[in-house]
Amino acid sequence: MANPYDGLPTVSAPSGPSGAGAAVPRGTKRSAPDGLPEGWKRVPSRSRPGQFTYENQFTKERISWIPDCAASRTPKNLPPEPKRAPKPARSSDPEEAQKQSVAKLKVFLEKIKVYLATEEKFGAACKLLHKSLFSSAALSADISDLYFDALKATQAVPERCYADKDRRIVKHVFKVVREKKDAFPKAQHFQLDTWILRSVTHNELYTDDSYEFNRATKEFTDAVLEAELRGKKRIIEQLGTEADNLLRDLEAVPPEQLTERKRVIVEILGTIHKQAKLPWAISTCNSVFKHITDHRSIFEPDEQAIIDNANDVRSGKKAPPRKEDHTGSLQGRVLARQTKF
């Protein structure tokens, strides 16, 4: 806050004996109970709650800094404000300035990654990450790599990305990522799309808006198709054969990225299965499960088992599993045996 006394003339203490009303030279013995020079009193600030100002008991003028001489009875005869330490000069070299900016961002994002690792601070860390990413005008290669590492930390515990308490802010973070995806290296795009699928598309399925739900399921089925095509591209490259026109422009991705994409697809499939109970979502969910069944071969055996189980439940071949009673009661043990399938 600007000092209200900025611009007022500074009057030095007169030399010679100090009579009534004369300013006392600096270095005068501090006789006030709070250690201030004579005539000054520390009082609560009117404009800065919780902070203090220093009031001249004779003229009732206030200053925001600690006075170093006795109070004067002459109005506007205030002690000079101490000089503040100059801010470090900014480098005139653009490359040096960029290095300093990247270094500061690296320290900031390292702290964010520590907070993202704890459940209690996960939401607050996502808010800080969103604010930083949103305000970044341009992402250079160095900066985009730092953000990529921080975004990776948000995915360490997948369930946090679509938990009720943090779902909204996680979705906002990755909406910004989707808008700025072109600023990231092309080799990172498939991985970013997988995280966007989990953090945006998945969270948009938790809705009672049929239009938004249908749009999200379309993004989901497109992601399934892309996973299949990327997998075929990798097989073709391994075999050394020529790709057709559909696959020629695609780049093969590392197997671990394909594995994560398929894992995210199965996660989302569980949410779609739950939404299938809503009357307005039945036809869309049926189409999604048909699409998944048609592309069942791209998944691992354990993922295929989950898909088959969901289809059996939907077709009525199996009863939906109930939550087991873990209290150890006779009723709980009976229910557990009855609901096994």
Side-chain angles (χ1 to χ4, degrees):
M1 177 179 177
N3 179 17
Y5 297 99
D6 281 348
L8 295 178
T10 301
V11 181
S12 58
S15 58
S18 57
V24 179
R26 296 176 190 172
T28 301
K29 181 179 179 181
R30 298 175 182 266
S31 57
D34 51 7
L36 295 172
E38 185 177 358
W40 291 100
K41 182 180 179 182
R42 191 174 78 155
V43 295
S45 173
R46 298 190 188 107
S47 58
R48 297 171 297 151
Q51 300 188 40
F52 294 91
T53 56
Y54 302 91
E55 185 178 83
N56 184 322
Q57 295 300 289
F58 305 116
T59 64
K60 302 303 178 183
E61 294 172 300
R62 293 186 174 193
I63 58 176
S64 59
W65 59 92
I66 300 175
D68 61 355
C69 61
S72 170
R73 296 177 183 272
T74 306
K76 298 185 179 180
N77 186 12
L78 302 171
E81 182 177 3
K83 294 182 179 180
R84 297 179 181 178
K87 294 182 178 180
R90 292 185 178 180
S91 174
S92 57
D93 183 1
E95 291 187 5
E96 184 62 28
Q98 176 69 8
K99 287 181 181 179
Q100 293 177 3
S101 177
V102 171
K104 288 181 180 179
L105 180 63
K106 185 175 182 180
V107 172
F108 170 75
L109 291 178
E110 287 297 328
K111 292 181 180 178
I112 291 295
K113 287 193 287 186
V114 173
Y115 295 151
L116 288 169
T118 61
E119 185 175 359
E120 297 79 11
K121 297 181 179 179
F122 180 81
C126 285
K127 289 179 182 178
L128 293 173
L129 180 58
H130 172 264
K131 184 177 181 180
S132 175
L133 190 59
F134 182 80
S135 60
S136 297
L139 298 180
S140 64
D142 292 341
I143 292 177
S144 64
D145 285 342
L146 294 176
Y147 277 117
F148 184 85
D149 290 341
L151 294 169
K152 184 177 181 180
T154 67
Q155 306 293 305
V157 183
E159 294 79 9
R160 291 178 186 168
C161 295
Y162 43 89
D164 290 342
K165 64 175 183 175
D166 297 322
R167 180 183 302 150
R168 183 180 178 85
I169 185 58
V170 172
K171 183 168 75 170
H172 286 327
V173 169
F174 282 90
K175 276 188 171 183
V176 176
V177 173
R178 184 164 59 186
E179 293 170 2
K180 298 191 175 189
K181 191 178 76 171
D182 290 341
F184 290 85
K186 194 173 181 180
Q188 297 175 348
H189 285 191
F190 184 83
Q191 183 68 78
L192 290 173
D193 285 338
T194 298
W195 296 340
I196 291 169
L197 183 66
R198 172 184 279 148
S199 305
V200 179
T201 307
H202 193 173
N203 284 324
E204 287 179 344
L205 291 169
Y206 293 92
T207 180
D208 56 1
D209 185 332
S210 59
Y211 174 79
E212 184 174 347
F213 182 81
N214 290 338
R215 181 169 54 80
T217 54
K218 176 64 168 60
E219 293 175 1
F220 172 74
T221 53
D222 288 346
V224 175
L225 179 60
E226 185 186 15
E228 181 183 40
L229 295 177
R230 298 277 188 169
K232 287 182 178 178
K233 176 73 173 183
R234 182 171 181 80
I235 293 172
I236 288 172
E237 288 188 354
Q238 288 175 340
L239 295 176
T241 57
E242 185 68 22
D244 57 23
N245 293 334
L246 186 62
L247 300 175
R248 190 167 293 127
D249 295 333
L250 285 177
E251 293 183 4
V253 296
E256 61 272 13
Q257 292 188 17
L258 272 174
T259 299
E260 185 175 3
R261 170 67 65 91
K262 290 183 283 188
R263 187 165 59 245
V264 172
I265 288 171
V266 173
E267 289 173 11
I268 298 175
L269 193 63
T271 299
I272 294 175
H273 177 60
K274 293 175 184 177
Q275 293 292 76
K277 300 175 184 177
L278 302 174
W280 54 265
I282 291 176
S283 61
T284 301
C285 293
N286 288 340
S287 299
V288 169
F289 270 89
K290 182 180 184 306
H291 183 82
I292 286 289
T293 303
D294 291 343
H295 295 83
R296 177 180 176 277
S297 60
I298 71 172
F299 295 94
E300 302 301 321
D302 58 331
E303 295 166 340
Q304 292 178 358
I306 294 173
I307 294 170
D308 294 342
N309 184 70
N311 278 323
D312 288 344
V313 171
R314 286 172 51 77
S315 63
K317 293 180 181 179
K318 285 186 177 180
R322 300 178 187 177
K323 291 184 178 179
E324 294 185 10
D325 186 348
H326 296 287
T327 59
S329 65
L330 176 62
Q331 181 183 8
R333 293 196 295 273
V334 171
L335 282 174
R337 286 196 298 270
Q338 290 176 348
T339 55
K340 283 185 178 180
F341 58 86

